[in-house]
Amino acid sequence: MSVIHAGKTSGMSNREKRNLERSRRVATEGMVLLQNNGVLPVSVSSKAIALFGSGARRTVKGGTGSGDVNSRVVYNVEQGLEEAGFTIGSKKWLQLHDENCTKAFYAYADNFAKIVKEQGWAGVMTAMTDPYRDPQEPAITDDDIRNLDNHFAIYVVARTSGEGSDRKKAAGDYELSEIEVTNITFLTEHFDNTIVIINAGGVIDTKPLRNLKGIGAVLLMSQAGAAGGLALADVLTGKVTPSGHLTTTWADSYSDYPNASTFSYMNGDVNDEFYNEGIYVGYRYFDSFGITPAYPFGYGLSYTDFEIKTSDVKLDGEKVVVTVAVKNTGNTYSGRETVQVYVSQPQGKLKKAYQVLAGFKKTSLLSCGQCEELEIRFSLRDIASYDEEKAQYILEAGKYFVRVGNYSRNTKIVCALEIDNTIVTEQLANKLAVDTELSLIEADESKFISYPGEAGQKAAAKVLAVDASLLPVRTVDYGSAPELMTTNKDYTITLKDVLDHKAGLEELVAQLTVEELADITVGSARGGMGQNSTIGAASSACPGAAGDTTSDLIESRGIMNISLADGPAGLRLSKNFVTDKDNNIIEGLGDSSMGNLPQLLGIPVPERPEDAIDYYQYCTALPIATHLAQTWDLEAIKEAGDIAGEEMEEFGVTLWLAPGMNIHRNPLCGRNFEYYSEDPLVAGMCAAADTSGVQSHKGCGTTIKHFALNNQEENRTHSNSHCSERAIREIYLKGFEIAIRESHPKALMTSYNLVNGVHAANNCELLADILRKEWGYEGLVMTDWGTTDPAQQEFKYGSSNAALCIKASNDLTMPGSQRDVDDIVHGVGKDFSMAQLQACALRVLKLVAETYQE
């Protein structure tokens, strides 16, 4: 009999209502105003307004796949504007497009059902590799706009993406379609102003908008979750002044990205991904190679103006402290501003980017004329560079110019930190040597961006001398292998004995057999990915959750299982499930978190007993991770985490399989919406804030993912990421390190891909050496779902192995299969030691014990 946490009331709960409003407030903070000629904000008028575009009624709340959330309600743009008091005069066009989309979806669904019935699980994967997309929208005609308010029209461009496939550099995806351009042009010719709303989780090509006369404003709504339409209306009407800033560079042209022609499928090879851009990712590349973007990293407009003055820069030990006064100099609107601090490092033995983000902070809401003083701190260690030759993080001799502003291309030099001789901040060992020759690009200072007065600012900058003695070198001891756990207790130790402090957890582990230890280190599913029991809902305790740890030792050892739930933008659970009178969950009844997929795969729908009981698990769809990051407000992100944590606690979920925090290396990555930024500092601090919110709830934890270099979706399970160790450490691992040091997430998920020739899930140097020994991480490490499953077809690179997971200190293989258990049992003494297996099982049991501790 399962322990049921869900409620029996079908109506909208107070928690749902409260969290919807909280999500709405957070959503307003992450919307980015890209252009405005003064048309925004708009006022409600007596005349009906023009609302068009694919996202007007079919607003995208978030990405697909594991990023989806089964929310009770989702407010689209049309509903949000109507709630704000607007009358929509273009409903005939909206209805036509809606009907066309409905017909297209049913046709797609019928074909999908046919494929699934023919191919089983292999057919299911077509939903990822060839996802449904809305058809082309109808043309806007004179009849559609007759008698509408001619002051402005609103057009909503919508895009969706998800796991399993990368976005396409094509019309209707990265690029605007011909009909979109035609319709927007039509509106600019018939209205005084056209307001374009971008309802997308990532970058799109805005060149047609930037070159079109009559565009009054462009607002990045992003994908704002269940309350998205309401939040958008708050911003459009000035109820909330926009304060979001980009966390990814929007290029003028796709070809401007350094890996434009080689990313993922673009060069015809999805087996090998060569990170030839090295450390020059995002603004680091655009700034260092003198390329002007459409919208720079950190950019965002407001309805008001701000004055940013740096009053002081000082050294406090190894910390740099920048004090900045921010004043709202406007005379109409209150607003918030984000102060960003960058550092330009001296060129030396190592080539460096023009500048790197070192710190940031957002003001409170400032009324007109109000001023606030902010203090932004960062460590000198955090701006050190990795020298592969000596396996050291170093601060080379020279001047480090500190820059302050409100986006990357709008800063002033406020100080110079001077280092006389190279300082070694950390002595490590090279662990992730590249497995092939790379053609790394290198910046030339002559191409660096500049601006009028920069040279004068450098010459006039106050110089602070850095005392090397304040930065003693840290040397990592990679230590020895785990020791075998033993006990002299001769009775059968249970988890209750541990919780009652009658025995230690290590003693419980010491009594377990190899088979029991293997069970603990493998998820509860025993059919493997693709079997009916694990279709997106492998949890026996929390229907719709992605999986459980084993329940095989409940009777013998009292070791309960814990549930793990998907959804980086909220929990993805079944909205409704059914039990018998004894609380046994009846599979096949209620609403699956995966729709009718179980039935398509042949799972029969059972008869509903007369005494059946309905339970409900409605969760809040939050803004996507990129949207959260665009708030630049760690407290707002922490609140989003608090919302997720509250719902985890309510429904009995121990681990949230989020946040995703891979780097926005290229705008075509299908899962960029799940990730925060192109910058590792932003990614790390956002993940830490999210984690703090979740883990403020008893027994709840995050699972930061995907570790590491999971930056493409095409062939994601069998691709090899070839990257220099310097770039891996400075760009792709740095955010994870920050999140771990700042917030101690309870779990971490490894990625599907190989890192320099070794599967991330089996990579001892990545997991045992860097993660655990260099960073001191003591939490649980798990695989992504199905990482160890045999490939269904021939691939250049094979699958990872459950036994090698144990060797690498990857504690938990998910969702689990009997083959995984067998591989671990047979691997003792061959692939790994008994002590290593015990250490992995101990970390799983620590989390179980924390979950059930009174």
Side-chain angles (χ1 to χ4, degrees):
M1 183 174 73
S2 300
V3 176
I4 304 299
H5 297 273
K8 300 178 184 178
T9 304
S10 62
M12 194 170 191
S13 69
N14 289 332
R15 184 265 305 161
E16 287 180 81
K17 296 174 184 175
R18 182 180 67 255
N19 286 349
L20 185 68
E21 282 303 309
R22 295 169 73 194
S23 177
R24 174 180 181 172
R25 290 196 301 271
V26 173
T28 62
E29 298 290 332
M31 295 185 182
V32 184
L33 184 59
L34 299 175
Q35 295 176 212
N36 189 23
N37 68 358
V39 64
L40 290 179
V42 292
S43 300
V44 177
S45 69
S46 57
K47 296 190 68 175
I49 65 168
L51 174 65
F52 294 97
S54 57
R57 180 174 289 180
R58 303 182 67 84
T59 309
V60 182
K61 74 178 188 300
T64 62
S66 64
D68 198 8
V69 178
N70 294 314
S71 182
R72 182 191 296 267
V73 295
V74 177
Y75 284 91
N76 63 30
V77 172
E78 180 186 18
Q79 292 168 322
L81 291 171
E82 288 180 329
E83 286 274 339
F86 290 95
T87 300
I88 308 300
S90 49
K91 284 187 176 287
K92 181 181 177 182
W93 186 95
L94 294 174
Q95 185 64 26
L96 175 59
H97 182 49
D98 201 26
E99 291 171 355
N100 291 343
C101 291
T102 300
K103 291 176 185 176
F105 177 77
Y106 279 126
Y108 176 90
D110 288 344
N111 186 57
F112 176 67
K114 179 181 178 182
I115 294 173
V116 170
K117 287 178 181 178
E118 291 174 353
Q119 302 179 23
W121 177 252
V124 173
M125 300 308 291
T126 62
M128 291 187 174
T129 58
D130 183 23
Y132 166 77
R133 298 186 188 280
D134 283 342
Q136 178 173 289
E137 63 190 50
I140 303 172
T141 67
D142 290 335
D143 186 57
D144 293 319
I145 63 170
R146 190 167 286 116
N147 299 322
L148 300 184
D149 186 342
N150 67 357
H151 176 52
F152 69 89
I154 298 175
Y155 186 93
V156 187
V157 177
R159 295 291 186 269
T160 189
S161 63
E163 65 177 314
S165 62
D166 288 315
R167 295 175 59 198
K168 301 297 181 277
K169 183 189 174 296
D173 194 341
Y174 181 79
E175 299 167 354
L176 295 181
S177 67
E178 183 178 347
I179 189 62
E180 285 175 325
V181 174
T182 298
N183 280 341
I184 293 171
T185 302
F186 178 89
L187 294 178
T188 63
E189 292 170 347
H190 291 80
F191 292 84
D192 296 340
N193 293 283
T194 297
I195 301 165
V196 176
I197 308 299
I198 300 175
N199 172 215
V203 180
I204 66 170
D205 183 5
T206 59
K207 188 173 292 183
L209 304 179
R210 289 179 280 116
N211 293 337
L212 187 59
K213 185 179 179 181
I215 298 294
V218 179
L219 177 70
L220 175 60
M221 174 191 183
S222 188
Q223 292 171 342
L230 300 173
L232 176 68
D234 290 341
V235 171
L236 291 178
T237 59
K239 182 178 179 181
V240 176
T241 297
S243 62
H245 289 251
L246 297 177
T247 57
T248 293
T249 303
W250 286 47
D252 180 67
S253 298
Y254 174 76
S255 59
D256 289 340
Y257 293 101
N259 44 43
S261 62
T262 60
F263 173 76
S264 187
Y265 63 85
M266 291 295 289
N267 63 352
D269 177 15
V270 294
N271 294 310
D272 295 278
E273 188 71 11
F274 300 96
Y275 288 56
N276 287 318
E277 70 275 11
I279 64 167
Y280 300 103
V281 178
Y283 69 90
R284 287 168 167 84
Y285 174 75
F286 285 82
D287 294 350
S288 302
F289 287 78
I291 299 172
T292 301
Y295 305 111
F297 174 83
Y299 175 81
L301 300 175
S302 174
Y303 294 155
T304 188
D305 297 306
F306 297 93
E307 178 184 74
I308 298 174
K309 288 186 177 180
T310 303
S311 56
D312 188 33
V313 183
K314 63 183 180 181
L315 288 168
D316 181 10
E318 67 176 48
K319 298 283 188 179
V320 180
V321 184
V322 182
T323 305
V324 180
V326 183
K327 182 178 181 180
N328 181 349
T329 59
N331 55 19
T332 306
Y333 297 101
S334 298
R336 304 181 68 189
E337 180 61 292
T338 296
V339 176
Q340 301 165 31
V341 177
Y342 297 82
V343 174
S344 292
Q345 305 149 303
Q347 305 298 311
K349 174 185 179 182
L350 303 179
K351 295 291 187 181
K352 293 134 185 137
Y354 169 78
Q355 63 180 349
V356 296
L357 183 70
F360 60 89
K361 189 168 284 189
K362 193 169 187 175
T363 69
S364 58
L365 185 65
L366 301 179
S367 57
C368 298
Q370 187 177 359
C371 185
E372 181 178 359
E373 188 172 85
L374 302 177
E375 186 178 272
I376 301 169
R377 290 172 168 259
F378 65 91
S379 173
L380 288 165
R381 293 182 186 274
D382 294 336
I383 58 172
S385 302
Y386 189 73
D387 179 5
E388 292 180 354
E389 182 183 354
K390 296 184 177 179
Q392 298 172 336
Y393 273 103
I394 60 174
L395 290 164
E396 294 198 76
K399 286 185 177 180
Y400 291 71
F401 291 101
V402 180
R403 303 171 181 270
V404 173
N406 62 350
Y407 64 95
S408 60
R409 293 289 177 100
N410 185 40
T411 63
K412 293 181 179 179
I413 293 172
V414 297
C415 181
L417 310 170
E418 189 162 38
I419 294 176
D420 290 334
N421 299 295
T422 295
I423 299 172
V424 178
T425 64
E426 200 164 11
Q427 180 62 63
L428 306 172
N430 286 326
K431 292 295 178 180
L432 298 170
V434 67
D435 60 335
T436 189
E437 187 174 345
L438 294 174
S439 301
L440 290 173
I441 63 174
E442 214 171 63
D444 181 340
E445 270 190 277
S446 65
K447 294 182 179 179
F448 279 9
I449 62 166
S450 188
Y451 53 87
E454 183 179 23
Q457 289 176 11
K458 287 182 176 181
K462 178 176 74 171
V463 178
L464 297 177
V466 175
D467 183 352
S469 67
L470 298 176
L471 288 156
V473 61
R474 295 174 180 167
T475 302
V476 173
D477 179 6
Y478 291 95
S480 55
E483 294 183 0
L484 190 69
M485 299 175 198
T486 61
T487 181
N488 57 10
K489 288 187 169 62
D490 57 4
Y491 65 88
T492 300
I493 301 172
T494 67
L495 183 61
K496 188 175 188 304
D497 293 326
V498 174
L499 297 179
D500 290 343
H501 307 291
K502 295 177 181 177
L505 199 55
E506 291 82 356
E507 291 182 298
L508 169 57
V509 171
Q511 282 193 349
L512 299 177
T513 66
V514 169
E515 289 76 14
E516 289 173 320
L517 292 168
D519 262 344
I520 289 170
T521 57
V522 174
S524 63
R526 288 294 179 265
M529 280 292 284
Q531 299 300 314
N532 294 341
S533 60
T534 65
I535 299 300
S539 172
S540 59
C542 185
D548 285 349
T549 56
T550 185
S551 56
D552 289 351
L553 278 71
I554 292 177
E555 291 188 13
S556 62
R557 295 284 182 172
I559 297 174
M560 305 297 288
N561 57 326
I562 57 175
S563 292
L564 295 68
D566 253 330
L571 300 186
R572 187 177 67 152
L573 303 175
S574 297
K575 293 179 288 188
N576 162 245
F577 63 92
V578 180
T579 73
D580 62 22
K581 63 181 176 60
D582 296 319
N583 272 356
N584 294 303
I585 296 170
I586 306 173
E587 293 188 21
L589 295 182
D591 292 321
S592 165
S593 64
M594 301 292 286
N596 68 337
L597 185 54
Q599 282 69 53
L600 293 179
L601 286 160
I603 299 178
V605 177
E607 290 287 332
R608 180 184 172 96
E610 290 185 6
D611 55 1
I613 305 169
D614 282 286
Y615 288 90
Y616 300 90
Q617 297 181 129
Y618 287 103
C619 299
T620 306
L622 300 167
I624 59 171
T626 305
H627 189 125
L628 292 179
Q630 288 169 181
T631 69
W632 293 71
D633 183 344
L634 299 181
E635 286 303 313
I637 299 168
K638 183 178 178 181
E639 182 167 13
D642 182 58
I643 292 171
E646 179 184 6
E647 295 177 0
M648 290 171 66
E649 192 172 3
E650 179 177 334
F651 297 125
V653 175
T654 295
L655 289 179
W656 188 32
L657 302 179
M661 51 186 306
N662 295 104
I663 294 297
H664 292 177
R665 176 175 174 249
N666 182 286
L668 298 186
C669 175
R671 290 180 90 172
N672 273 350
F673 70 93
E674 288 191 42
Y675 310 140
Y676 296 111
S677 176
E678 67 188 22
D679 182 81
L681 174 66
V682 173
M685 294 304 293
C686 289
D690 227 344
T691 295
S692 295
V694 169
Q695 295 188 174
S696 65
H697 293 269
K698 181 182 179 299
C700 300
T702 62
T703 308
I704 58 175
K705 64 181 188 182
H706 309 87
F707 196 68
L709 285 85
N710 182 183
N711 303 108
Q712 74 178 59
E713 286 300 297
E714 302 283 332
N715 190 33
R716 61 179 177 156
T717 55
H718 300 90
S719 65
N720 190 358
S721 300
H722 307 279
C723 188
S724 71
E725 181 146 3
R726 181 185 177 191
I728 291 175
R729 288 182 177 274
E730 290 188 23
I731 304 295
Y732 299 101
L733 299 189
K734 184 61 70 176
F736 287 95
E737 181 180 6
I738 291 169
I740 285 168
R741 295 193 190 281
E742 292 287 329
S743 64
H744 310 289
K746 290 188 177 182
L748 173 145
M749 182 189 292
T750 54
S751 53
Y752 286 117
N753 55 287
L754 295 83
V755 178
N756 286 335
V758 181
H759 277 283
N762 294 159
N763 199 313
C764 296
E765 294 187 327
L766 178 65
L767 303 179
D769 292 342
I770 294 177
L771 176 66
R772 296 205 185 277
K773 293 172 182 175
E774 290 185 15
W775 302 350
Y777 182 65
E778 297 178 350
L780 175 78
V781 176
M782 72 178 73
T783 69
D784 205 336
W785 265 233
T787 305
T788 58
D789 284 359
Q792 302 266 325
Q793 63 188 79
E794 190 74 23
F795 286 98
K796 180 177 180 179
Y797 301 104
S799 301
S800 60
N801 175 272
L804 296 182
C805 285
I806 300 298
K807 180 181 179 181
S809 79
N810 192 342
D811 310 305
L812 183 61
T813 299
M814 292 300 295
S817 69
Q818 188 57 49
R819 184 192 58 260
D820 293 328
V821 175
D822 295 341
D823 285 346
I824 291 171
V825 170
H826 297 146
V828 178
K830 182 179 69 172
D831 297 311
F832 54 85
S833 68
M834 181 68 168
Q836 287 176 297
L837 178 56
Q838 287 180 328
C840 289
L842 178 67
R843 285 186 285 265
V844 177
L845 291 179
K846 279 184 177 178
L847 193 56
V848 175
E850 288 174 11
T851 301
Y852 291 98
Q853 184 74 54
E854 291 296 332

